[in-house]
Amino acid sequence: MTPSIHNRTIVAASRVVCAFLLCVCVPSTSLAQPQVSSSSVAMSAAASISPPPASDKQKNQAADAYLAGAKALDRRDYTGAEKHFSHALELNPANRDYTTALAMAREHHVTALVQESGREHMLGHNSKADALLAEARAIDPRNPTVTQHDAPTARAEEPWLVRPPVFAGAIQLTPADGIKSFHSHTEVQQIVRDVTKAYGIRTVFDDSVTHQNIRFDLEDVSYEQAMHILLRINHLFAVPLDATSILVARDTPDNRQRLERQMEETIYVPGMTPEQMSDFGNVVRNIFDVKQATVENGLGNIVIRAPEQAINAINLTLADLLDGSSEVLLDLKLYSVDLTHSRNTGLSVPQQIGAYNVASQAQQLVTANQTIVNQAIAQGLIPVGSSVLQIAEYLLASGVATSALLSSTLGIFGGGLTTTGIYATGGITLNFGLNSSDTRSLDEIQLRITDRQPGDFRIGTRYPITTSTYSTGVTGNTSALAGVSINGVSASSLLNQLGSSSQTVPQIQYEDLGLTLKATPTISKKNAVNLKLDLKIEALAGGSLDGIPVLNSRQFVSDVTVNDGETALILSNVNRSEIRAIDGLPGIAELPGFQNASDQTVEADSSQLVLLLTPHIVRRRSDAISGPRIPFSPARAAN
């Protein structure tokens, strides 16, 4: 991106050279080369004839008319300016400044009429536009600005073909070529006149130039060399008035601010942030010492008023800054992998084995079902004289009664009252199960980052955390209001009602849960990109402290150098847990060979993040080590 020039005008500040020396605005590009109107040629011819000398009174009156014309020109009253300048020229015809002022005032008047005519053509007011053009032709019929509009064109019917006005450049001094030698010993003003006259340049001195005798000896020098040395050793500077005239003044900051010609230029730098626009403005003010520089963030431009040489240098510098920024396209691929694995294998044996007295348990069963036993004996289902153990067996076999202890009996040993039964809680189970889940998600994002500028990438959620709470309500001593009533209602009861309506207001703080990546690329000369990475992963830990959730945070900060188009892999284990349980008989399940037969339960959970970074250089700055060289010519600056 190169700064584009919006306009360029000349600003002259001098009590000798007034505002009428502003460059003439013309509405066509055909005036790119210097042109002279017929009125200027006629006045130059008239000025070559030696007029009679004017009296002091006439000179003073001419100076007053000249000043009045300059003020009228500054107000854009071109008719009044021509009248005053003509009067000044009549009073003092020998003053060339009055001749030039009158010619330039007429040029301004003609140009203003032509511009107004063009605007009326664009609005479709053809009759008014032709009248304005005829008025300009009456003032100076041979003026090139007027003659180029004499031929009929289609701009009245096609207003979009009207070109915007083109502003002329600064005054360029045209000294005569050649090599001269100088040997003088006199005052400074006379030496300056002799040197400039040798090259065809007329010199006007400011009041700040002092009278001082010096010796000046130079051999075989050009105009630029001679004036550079002469002005530097005497602390002077020169401002061009026209192509063959200069104004010399003492070189001080005030004089340069007052007399030095400045140009105004609008440099467009769209698409910049306010911070970048502020940086450009600081470069213009501090590096080039430009006092009048305005940064317009809303319009995206910088308005500068400075000498032409400084503006040219500013354009070169800003063009290098804007065009020299490289850009990197970061291709980010984020994989989130969640694995859950659960396995249950082996033989599940009874976990509890015990012994009981069979006669006692049988007696309890028969006693609990004595009514059913009597009916069974009466019906002959149970033989008379059967033992208690036989009756219990009948109850269990017929399903009339149940006993968890007797039904889980593994075996009976002994006899009589000492008959003992062995029982086991739970049965034998063979387990062979597997449960596994695999969850994957992919996020693909592209970030375009300027060289040496940070870029942020966040993915996740903003989790609200209550850090504190406070209650609102009315509190007070209700006993102090005992006996006080308002409209028949007790004041203490009203205060209690207000105090009971308190509200709890929480203080919320949001935390970024998930992935936060900050990358700052730096492009090297060998198509390598150095990435300064700051990776942070934050998640809930699952616990809390005083009601505030505990967060797990992991951070990775490093510098990674990746070639253009290559990929860097970053892997992080966010969470990994494993639970292993063995279910078997104590002592036996721990023996080698019995562990595989025991019931084993294994649960494994893991969560991983995989980040792939691929930088692509989409815009490179110039391979040159240094930027454009900006020439500063002291000789041209003095002119």
Side-chain angles (χ1 to χ4, degrees), residues 472-489:
T472 62
V474 180
T475 60
N477 188 2
T478 59
S479 61
L481 299 176
V484 179
S485 61
I486 301 175
N487 295 330
V489 181

PDB file of all heavy atoms in Angstrom, residues 472-489:
ATOM      1  N   THR A 472     -28.619  -7.416  51.178  1.00  0.00           N
ATOM      2  CA  THR A 472     -29.171  -6.075  51.279  1.00  0.00           C
ATOM      3  C   THR A 472     -30.434  -6.122  52.118  1.00  0.00           C
ATOM      4  O   THR A 472     -31.204  -7.089  52.075  1.00  0.00           O
ATOM      5  CB  THR A 472     -29.497  -5.518  49.889  1.00  0.00           C
ATOM      6  OG1 THR A 472     -30.496  -6.337  49.278  1.00  0.00           O
ATOM      7  CG2 THR A 472     -28.262  -5.471  49.015  1.00  0.00           C
ATOM      8  N   GLY A 473     -30.682  -5.091  52.894  1.00  0.00           N
ATOM      9  CA  GLY A 473     -31.870  -5.036  53.728  1.00  0.00           C
ATOM     10  C   GLY A 473     -31.767  -3.885  54.719  1.00  0.00           C
ATOM     11  O   GLY A 473     -30.730  -3.222  54.836  1.00  0.00           O
ATOM     12  N   VAL A 474     -32.816  -3.649  55.473  1.00  0.00           N
ATOM     13  CA  VAL A 474     -32.864  -2.569  56.452  1.00  0.00           C
ATOM     14  C   VAL A 474     -32.763  -3.180  57.835  1.00  0.00           C
ATOM     15  O   VAL A 474     -33.542  -4.079  58.196  1.00  0.00           O
ATOM     16  CB  VAL A 474     -34.149  -1.739  56.318  1.00  0.00           C
ATOM     17  CG1 VAL A 474     -34.171  -0.627  57.356  1.00  0.00           C
ATOM     18  CG2 VAL A 474     -34.251  -1.177  54.912  1.00  0.00           C
ATOM     19  N   THR A 475     -31.797  -2.736  58.586  1.00  0.00           N
ATOM     20  CA  THR A 475     -31.626  -3.215  59.949  1.00  0.00           C
ATOM     21  C   THR A 475     -31.719  -2.035  60.895  1.00  0.00           C
ATOM     22  O   THR A 475     -31.401  -0.899  60.546  1.00  0.00           O
ATOM     23  CB  THR A 475     -30.271  -3.918  60.114  1.00  0.00           C
ATOM     24  OG1 THR A 475     -29.228  -2.996  59.808  1.00  0.00           O
ATOM     25  CG2 THR A 475     -30.160  -5.126  59.192  1.00  0.00           C
ATOM     26  N   GLY A 476     -32.141  -2.287  62.102  1.00  0.00           N
ATOM     27  CA  GLY A 476     -32.246  -1.209  63.084  1.00  0.00           C
ATOM     28  C   GLY A 476     -32.700  -1.746  64.422  1.00  0.00           C
ATOM     29  O   GLY A 476     -33.047  -2.929  64.583  1.00  0.00           O
ATOM     30  N   ASN A 477     -32.717  -0.898  65.402  1.00  0.00           N
ATOM     31  CA  ASN A 477     -33.128  -1.258  66.761  1.00  0.00           C
ATOM     32  C   ASN A 477     -34.639  -1.023  66.870  1.00  0.00           C
ATOM     33  O   ASN A 477     -35.100   0.115  67.013  1.00  0.00           O
ATOM     34  CB  ASN A 477     -32.359  -0.417  67.778  1.00  0.00           C
ATOM     35  CG  ASN A 477     -32.608  -0.902  69.196  1.00  0.00           C
ATOM     36  OD1 ASN A 477     -33.317  -1.880  69.417  1.00  0.00           O
ATOM     37  ND2 ASN A 477     -32.013  -0.187  70.148  1.00  0.00           N
ATOM     38  N   THR A 478     -35.421  -2.122  66.773  1.00  0.00           N
ATOM     39  CA  THR A 478     -36.874  -1.990  66.807  1.00  0.00           C
ATOM     40  C   THR A 478     -37.378  -1.622  68.192  1.00  0.00           C
ATOM     41  O   THR A 478     -38.462  -1.044  68.331  1.00  0.00           O
ATOM     42  CB  THR A 478     -37.523  -3.296  66.342  1.00  0.00           C
ATOM     43  OG1 THR A 478     -37.081  -4.365  67.206  1.00  0.00           O
ATOM     44  CG2 THR A 478     -37.126  -3.631  64.910  1.00  0.00           C
ATOM     45  N   SER A 479     -36.609  -1.959  69.230  1.00  0.00           N
ATOM     46  CA  SER A 479     -37.062  -1.632  70.586  1.00  0.00           C
ATOM     47  C   SER A 479     -37.097  -0.129  70.819  1.00  0.00           C
ATOM     48  O   SER A 479     -37.872   0.367  71.650  1.00  0.00           O
ATOM     49  CB  SER A 479     -36.149  -2.303  71.625  1.00  0.00           C
ATOM     50  OG  SER A 479     -34.815  -1.828  71.483  1.00  0.00           O
ATOM     51  N   ALA A 480     -36.253   0.612  70.087  1.00  0.00           N
ATOM     52  CA  ALA A 480     -36.246   2.062  70.257  1.00  0.00           C
ATOM     53  C   ALA A 480     -37.500   2.698  69.698  1.00  0.00           C
ATOM     54  O   ALA A 480     -37.808   3.860  69.993  1.00  0.00           O
ATOM     55  CB  ALA A 480     -35.007   2.656  69.605  1.00  0.00           C
ATOM     56  N   LEU A 481     -38.229   1.971  68.838  1.00  0.00           N
ATOM     57  CA  LEU A 481     -39.436   2.509  68.221  1.00  0.00           C
ATOM     58  C   LEU A 481     -40.698   1.969  68.873  1.00  0.00           C
ATOM     59  O   LEU A 481     -41.788   2.032  68.287  1.00  0.00           O
ATOM     60  CB  LEU A 481     -39.453   2.189  66.721  1.00  0.00           C
ATOM     61  CG  LEU A 481     -38.291   2.764  65.900  1.00  0.00           C
ATOM     62  CD1 LEU A 481     -38.392   2.293  64.445  1.00  0.00           C
ATOM     63  CD2 LEU A 481     -38.302   4.278  65.958  1.00  0.00           C
ATOM     64  N   ALA A 482     -40.530   1.381  70.029  1.00  0.00           N
ATOM     65  CA  ALA A 482     -41.716   0.836  70.712  1.00  0.00           C
ATOM     66  C   ALA A 482     -42.684   1.963  71.052  1.00  0.00           C
ATOM     67  O   ALA A 482     -42.294   3.013  71.583  1.00  0.00           O
ATOM     68  CB  ALA A 482     -41.294   0.083  71.972  1.00  0.00           C
ATOM     69  N   GLY A 483     -43.938   1.772  70.733  1.00  0.00           N
ATOM     70  CA  GLY A 483     -44.959   2.770  71.005  1.00  0.00           C
ATOM     71  C   GLY A 483     -45.131   3.794  69.923  1.00  0.00           C
ATOM     72  O   GLY A 483     -46.031   4.639  70.002  1.00  0.00           O
ATOM     73  N   VAL A 484     -44.302   3.747  68.905  1.00  0.00           N
ATOM     74  CA  VAL A 484     -44.401   4.693  67.799  1.00  0.00           C
ATOM     75  C   VAL A 484     -45.220   4.043  66.691  1.00  0.00           C
ATOM     76  O   VAL A 484     -44.964   2.881  66.310  1.00  0.00           O
ATOM     77  CB  VAL A 484     -43.008   5.103  67.288  1.00  0.00           C
ATOM     78  CG1 VAL A 484     -43.143   6.067  66.109  1.00  0.00           C
ATOM     79  CG2 VAL A 484     -42.189   5.737  68.404  1.00  0.00           C
ATOM     80  N   SER A 485     -46.179   4.775  66.179  1.00  0.00           N
ATOM     81  CA  SER A 485     -47.038   4.247  65.120  1.00  0.00           C
ATOM     82  C   SER A 485     -47.144   5.267  63.992  1.00  0.00           C
ATOM     83  O   SER A 485     -47.032   6.470  64.211  1.00  0.00           O
ATOM     84  CB  SER A 485     -48.433   3.908  65.671  1.00  0.00           C
ATOM     85  OG  SER A 485     -49.049   5.086  66.176  1.00  0.00           O
ATOM     86  N   ILE A 486     -47.370   4.753  62.809  1.00  0.00           N
ATOM     87  CA  ILE A 486     -47.545   5.579  61.614  1.00  0.00           C
ATOM     88  C   ILE A 486     -48.885   5.201  61.004  1.00  0.00           C
ATOM     89  O   ILE A 486     -49.065   4.071  60.528  1.00  0.00           O
ATOM     90  CB  ILE A 486     -46.409   5.355  60.605  1.00  0.00           C
ATOM     91  CG1 ILE A 486     -45.053   5.695  61.249  1.00  0.00           C
ATOM     92  CG2 ILE A 486     -46.623   6.179  59.351  1.00  0.00           C
ATOM     93  CD1 ILE A 486     -43.887   5.378  60.346  1.00  0.00           C
ATOM     94  N   ASN A 487     -49.827   6.144  61.052  1.00  0.00           N
ATOM     95  CA  ASN A 487     -51.184   5.909  60.542  1.00  0.00           C
ATOM     96  C   ASN A 487     -51.809   4.687  61.205  1.00  0.00           C
ATOM     97  O   ASN A 487     -52.463   3.851  60.560  1.00  0.00           O
ATOM     98  CB  ASN A 487     -51.188   5.740  59.023  1.00  0.00           C
ATOM     99  CG  ASN A 487     -50.772   7.012  58.311  1.00  0.00           C
ATOM    100  OD1 ASN A 487     -51.004   8.126  58.808  1.00  0.00           O
ATOM    101  ND2 ASN A 487     -50.149   6.863  57.150  1.00  0.00           N
ATOM    102  N   GLY A 488     -51.529   4.562  62.468  1.00  0.00           N
ATOM    103  CA  GLY A 488     -52.108   3.464  63.209  1.00  0.00           C
ATOM    104  C   GLY A 488     -51.361   2.165  63.103  1.00  0.00           C
ATOM    105  O   GLY A 488     -51.790   1.147  63.649  1.00  0.00           O
ATOM    106  N   VAL A 489     -50.240   2.129  62.398  1.00  0.00           N
ATOM    107  CA  VAL A 489     -49.447   0.909  62.237  1.00  0.00           C
ATOM    108  C   VAL A 489     -48.163   1.076  63.020  1.00  0.00           C
ATOM    109  O   VAL A 489     -47.504   2.127  62.951  1.00  0.00           O
ATOM    110  CB  VAL A 489     -49.153   0.617  60.753  1.00  0.00           C
ATOM    111  CG1 VAL A 489     -48.354  -0.668  60.609  1.00  0.00           C
ATOM    112  CG2 VAL A 489     -50.463   0.526  59.977  1.00  0.00           C
TER     113      VAL A 489
END
